[in-house]
Amino acid sequence: LEGVLEARKREIAKIKARAALLLQSLYRTSLALARKPALEEAYEKVRKWNEEKARRVAATGKSPEEVEKEMREELRQRELAQHAQLKADVVGSAEEALSQASAPIDEIVRKIQELLEDPEEPHWSADEVSAFKARMHEIEELHLGGVEALRELQSEFAVQKDSLDAYNVALAEPVKRNATALKELLLREAKSLPQEKLARTKRVKDWVIEKERLAEEERQRVLREKIEAERQRKEEELRAREHEIMAKQEQMRLEQQHKQMEREAALKKKKDERRRALEARQAKAEERRQHLRFKRMEQQQVDKIAQESADFERTIARREEEDQEALAAEEKAIHADEEHAKALIARAAITAMEGARVKFGSEKATVRYVGRLPFYASGQWVGLELDNPVGSNSGKVMGRRLFRCAPEHGLFVRGEMIHLLVDDPDQKPSLVKDIADRERELSVGDLVDFDGHLGIVQYLGPV
């Protein structure tokens, strides 16, 4: 089971590697498509500039350098005018909106302050004072927010940038939003302050009436307290007499209670003796019942364990059969892949290179495979069987075997990285004969040697 699990993990790792390569390719393609409109626009601007430059040179007879200088000066003047117009439109509209919205701030704040500090007002609660201050603070925050946003907008346009698109025009939106919110808030305050002033006048009258009512209630309270004090004095005297009577009754009750407790103690002693004897008999009966119950539970556990053991053995046997079938299927698929790879190699168009003796760096090797690599980089690759164990594989790439050799003797390289060993005694005679025959005409598909590098002719014709 562990072997099957490791094999499946390796297969999953291969699939993830293929997916990663596909994702990288898609990402590079999306980047190229995203840059295409910008490149086309830049190309169109350069084309129009060159056409206008050529037209002016032909019309005026001036040198291209003078025309280029004049056009750049005109472009700079247009850009300055566009920058100034954009600044006037964006910053000017924002300043005007904030200035109009902020005009009535001082008058509204003064009215709120007068209402808060009115000497005729009897009192303001802490919540009401906090509400007044919160209203003034909200107005101040909106105004300061608009000023700060306007300052950021002005600093954005303080230095001329390379293009109109480089300005962050969106900085004007916070200024306008703050101006609109401030204007709406001041309009609400202007409408609500007269109503609050009328409410304040009514509150003063209500306060005077309430003050007179409270004074009358205080007089009534003092009178009620005097009457209550007299009533309490009489009740105290009555309670004192009742206390004496209750003390005598309590003494008599205690004496009767003591006698009752003595009788109850004797009766309780007899009952406890009978209860202890009954509990002893019940404990013995319960002990016998527990013993029988434990025996039944032990037998049930034994039966359950036997049943679970039988089920487990059946499950293991079934899983082993399933794993054997899966392993057989996977071995069959691997064998089919190897046979397919061998067939592809057999059908390669440039099998003449196989068996050639070449040199890679300082190492000598024999060509065992020429063609593409599965799930790897594009183009033609050459599989080498090195004479010394300095390779990285045994002829297998990404789980696909392309040729067989000893471990650490296999290596895949590009064709331009190897040199043909013409004088090697083990070199293929037919390959040496073809390379030595330099007098006949070349054709597409011929095997050639260029400065010691082995290659295939892919094109013949004019360039």
Side-chain angles (χ1 to χ4, degrees):
L1 291 175
E2 291 179 354
V4 172
L5 181 61
E6 290 296 328
R8 290 177 179 174
K9 286 183 178 178
R10 288 194 294 270
E11 188 66 24
I12 291 172
K14 295 175 184 178
I15 294 173
K16 288 183 178 178
R18 299 171 194 169
L21 291 174
L22 290 175
L23 287 174
Q24 291 176 2
S25 177
L26 289 173
Y27 178 69
R28 289 193 293 268
T29 303
S30 65
L31 289 179
L33 291 175
R35 292 181 56 193
K36 182 179 178 182
L39 293 175
E40 290 177 350
E41 183 180 356
Y43 172 78
E44 185 65 19
K45 289 182 179 179
V46 172
R47 186 185 64 78
K48 291 181 179 179
W49 177 273
N50 291 332
E51 289 179 354
E52 178 63 19
K53 180 179 176 181
R55 189 189 64 78
R56 292 192 181 189
V57 169
T60 59
K62 295 181 180 180
S63 65
E65 290 78 9
E66 293 175 346
V67 173
E68 177 80 16
K69 185 175 180 181
E70 291 177 359
M71 292 176 65
R72 292 194 177 277
E73 180 62 23
E74 292 176 2
L75 178 62
R76 190 181 69 82
Q77 293 297 331
R78 286 198 303 272
E79 288 179 350
L80 288 176
Q82 291 174 353
H83 285 283
Q85 183 62 35
L86 179 62
K87 180 178 180 181
D89 293 342
V90 176
V91 180
S93 63
E95 289 177 348
E96 182 179 0
L98 185 61
S99 175
Q100 291 178 356
S102 304
I105 287 180
D106 295 336
E107 180 66 20
I108 296 298
V109 172
R110 182 183 62 79
K111 289 182 179 181
I112 294 176
Q113 194 68 29
E114 288 178 356
L115 187 62
L116 186 60
E117 297 175 356
D118 191 349
E120 296 182 2
E121 179 65 31
H123 67 279
W124 293 104
S125 65
D127 293 338
E128 291 173 332
V129 173
S130 298
F132 277 118
K133 291 182 178 180
R135 288 159 64 178
M136 291 189 291
H137 182 66
E138 184 180 3
I139 294 173
E140 183 180 358
E141 276 191 344
L142 283 175
H143 181 252
L144 291 178
V147 172
E148 183 65 24
L150 181 60
R151 190 178 294 114
E152 291 182 5
L153 180 62
Q154 291 172 342
S155 64
E156 176 71 13
F157 284 87
V159 179
Q160 181 176 339
K161 298 190 177 181
D162 297 336
S163 65
L164 298 179
D165 296 335
Y167 292 105
N168 189 3
V169 183
L171 291 175
E173 293 301 321
V175 181
K176 295 180 179 179
R177 285 199 302 270
N178 277 274
T180 303
L182 181 61
K183 184 176 181 180
E184 293 176 354
L185 179 60
L186 293 177
L187 287 174
R188 289 198 303 271
E189 292 293 342
K191 292 179 181 179
S192 62
L193 283 175
Q195 298 175 357
E196 291 179 355
K197 191 169 184 180
L198 291 175
R200 178 189 60 81
T201 303
K202 183 177 180 301
R203 190 165 53 251
V204 170
K205 294 179 181 179
D206 294 342
W207 177 77
V208 173
I209 296 172
E210 181 67 17
K211 186 176 180 180
E212 293 176 353
R213 186 185 65 78
L214 292 175
E216 180 63 25
E217 288 182 354
E218 181 66 19
R219 289 193 296 271
Q220 294 293 332
R221 185 186 63 79
V222 171
L223 180 60
R224 286 195 301 271
E225 286 180 353
K226 289 180 180 179
I227 297 172
E228 183 67 20
E230 181 65 22
R231 186 184 63 79
Q232 289 180 358
R233 185 184 63 80
K234 292 180 179 180
E235 288 180 353
E236 286 293 334
E237 293 177 354
L238 181 60
R239 279 197 298 271
R241 289 195 296 270
E242 290 177 351
H243 182 68
E244 292 177 0
I245 296 171
M246 290 175 64
K248 292 179 180 180
Q249 292 176 352
E250 181 66 20
Q251 185 177 359
M252 294 174 63
R253 188 186 62 80
L254 290 174
E255 291 177 356
Q256 293 176 359
Q257 185 177 2
H258 181 67
K259 293 178 181 180
Q260 181 67 23
M261 288 174 63
E262 289 178 351
R263 291 193 297 269
E264 289 178 353
L267 181 60
K268 182 179 180 182
K269 184 178 180 180
K270 293 179 180 180
K271 289 181 178 180
D272 290 342
E273 291 176 354
R274 290 196 295 271
R275 186 180 67 255
R276 283 194 293 271
L278 181 60
E279 288 177 352
R281 291 194 296 272
Q282 291 176 348
K284 290 180 180 180
E286 182 63 25
E287 185 178 354
R288 289 193 297 272
R289 285 194 297 272
Q290 288 287 348
H291 181 68
L292 293 174
R293 186 160 53 249
F294 287 152
K295 282 187 175 181
R296 286 195 299 271
M297 290 175 63
E298 288 176 355
Q299 185 62 35
Q300 291 174 357
Q301 288 290 340
V302 169
D303 296 338
K304 183 178 179 181
I305 290 171
Q307 181 65 28
E308 289 178 351
S309 177
D311 294 340
F312 179 75
E313 290 177 356
R314 287 194 296 271
T315 302
I316 291 297
R318 186 177 65 257
R319 290 183 178 177
E320 287 179 351
E321 292 176 359
E322 293 174 355
D323 292 337
Q324 289 295 333
E325 293 174 359
L327 286 173
E330 289 180 359
E331 289 176 358
K332 186 177 179 180
I334 292 171
H335 181 71
D337 291 342
E338 291 178 353
E339 294 297 325
H340 182 63
K342 291 178 180 179
L344 290 178
I345 293 172
R347 291 195 299 272
I350 50 177
T351 55
M353 293 176 63
E354 295 181 2
R357 293 290 291 169
V358 296
K359 186 177 182 181
F360 172 68
S362 62
E363 296 295 328
K364 293 183 178 181
T366 302
V367 177
R368 296 302 184 193
Y369 173 80
V370 179
R372 297 180 179 272
L373 297 184
F375 316 116
Y376 207 66
S378 61
Q380 296 291 329
W381 288 77
V382 180
L384 304 180
E385 182 181 1
L386 302 173
D387 294 350
N388 298 317
V390 294
S392 61
N393 55 68
S394 61
K396 195 174 183 180
V397 177
M398 299 293 285
R400 295 283 297 277
R401 179 166 296 282
L402 304 179
F403 66 90
R404 294 185 180 274
C405 66
E408 298 184 356
H409 282 70
L411 185 67
F412 289 90
V413 298
R414 294 288 190 180
E416 61 269 21
M417 299 173 68
I418 61 176
H419 298 272
L420 184 68
L421 296 175
V422 179
D423 299 328
D424 194 284
D426 297 330
Q427 185 62 269
K428 292 174 63 176
S430 60
L431 184 64
V432 175
K433 180 181 179 181
D434 290 341
I435 294 175
D437 187 8
R438 300 177 179 271
E439 298 299 324
R440 67 183 182 86
E441 293 184 358
L442 292 176
S443 60
V444 176
D446 285 348
L447 185 68
V448 297
D449 176 30
F450 179 73
D451 290 340
H453 293 279
L454 196 61
I456 303 297
V457 176
Q458 299 292 347
Y459 173 75
L460 290 173
V463 296

